[in-house]
């Protein structure tokens, strides 16, 4: 009879049972007025993530880019003439890490939007200390007199040097200067 030993094996392994997580950020500080780039960052490499996993309300999905196996970007253009926020709802069905763990879906992400153009609400003017209101008021200016015009908009606006206010001055059009 043969005598022998029973082979034994020892060792350890680590099982990955942790679902990958994702965070969402965007490039719009405060209120967005145009296209917004949203960035999805996963805690580890994933496969199966694409634009079909994202539902956008308040805007239209555009370019989707896989920057790496952990970073993805999606450009969303907000709805025109709207103050409805862009909201992203994300599904991670079929999005897995190398061990087959399905990613945990991030909470819905919201970005405030305002694509409504400001409107002119009223115009007032001051000539030699006499207030003029409304349009079509006739007044005669003397040399070296000024007309101060106030434009009231529906929201705060910024007027840069490219904007011109043209006034009809007795049949002649004059461009106003800004102070």
């Amino acid at each position: 009879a043969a005598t022998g030993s029973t082979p034994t094996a020892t060792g350890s392994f680590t099982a990955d049972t942790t679902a990958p997580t994702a965070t969402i950020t965007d490039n719009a500080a405060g209120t967005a007025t145009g296209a917004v780039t949203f960035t999805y960052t996963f805690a580890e490499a994933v496969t199966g993530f694409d634009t079909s996993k994202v539902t956008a309300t308040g805007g239209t999905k555009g370019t989707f880019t896989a920057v790496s196996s952990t970073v993805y970007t999606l450009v969303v253009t907000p709805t025109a003439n709207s103050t409805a926020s862009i909201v992203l709802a994300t599904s991670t069905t079929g999005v897995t890490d190398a061990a087959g763990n399905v990613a945990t879906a991030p909470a819905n992400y919201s970005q405030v939007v305002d694509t409504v153009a400001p409107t002119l609400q009223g115009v007032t003017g001051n000539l030699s200390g006499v207030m003029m209101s409304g349009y079509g008021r006739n007044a005669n200016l003397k040399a070296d007199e000024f007309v101060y015009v106030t434009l009231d908009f529906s929201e705060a606006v910024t007027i840069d040097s490219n904007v011109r206010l043209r006034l009809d001055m007795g049949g002649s059009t004059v461009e106003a200067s800004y102070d």
Side-chain angles (χ1 to χ4, degrees), residues 55-84:
T55 301
T57 57
T60 303
K61 293 189 300 183
T63 303
F64 179 87
T65 305
V67 177
S68 69
S69 60
T70 59
V71 178
Y72 302 83
T73 61
L74 174 64
V75 176
V76 179
T77 302
T79 303
N81 297 314
S82 177
T83 56

Side-chain angles (χ1 to χ4, degrees), residues 6-152:
T6 304
T8 60
T10 60
S12 65
F13 71 94
T14 302
D16 178 0
T17 59
T18 304
T21 58
T23 57
I24 307 171
T25 57
D26 70 54
N27 68 337
T31 301
T33 58
V36 179
T37 300
F38 295 92
T39 301
Y40 284 81
T41 304
F42 287 86
E44 60 182 295
V46 296
T47 59
F49 188 68
D50 59 40
T51 189
S52 70
K53 304 298 181 183
V54 182
T55 301
T57 57
T60 303
K61 293 189 300 183
T63 303
F64 179 87
T65 305
V67 177
S68 69
S69 60
T70 59
V71 178
Y72 302 83
T73 61
L74 174 64
V75 176
V76 179
T77 302
T79 303
N81 297 314
S82 177
T83 56
S85 294
I86 295 172
V87 178
L88 300 184
T90 307
S91 167
T92 54
T93 301
V95 179
T96 60
D97 65 9
N101 299 308
V102 176
T104 302
N108 286 359
Y109 188 87
S110 182
Q111 171 59 55
V112 176
V113 168
D114 183 358
T115 58
V116 177
T119 57
L120 183 62
Q121 301 292 308
V123 178
T124 56
N126 183 312
L127 168 65
S128 301
V130 177
M131 289 299 297
M132 303 179 305
S133 296
Y135 301 97
R137 191 56 98 74
N138 292 325
N140 295 316
L141 289 177
K142 297 182 182 111
D144 298 324
E145 286 186 321
F146 293 92
V147 173
Y148 295 95
V149 178
T150 302
L151 305 175
D152 296 314

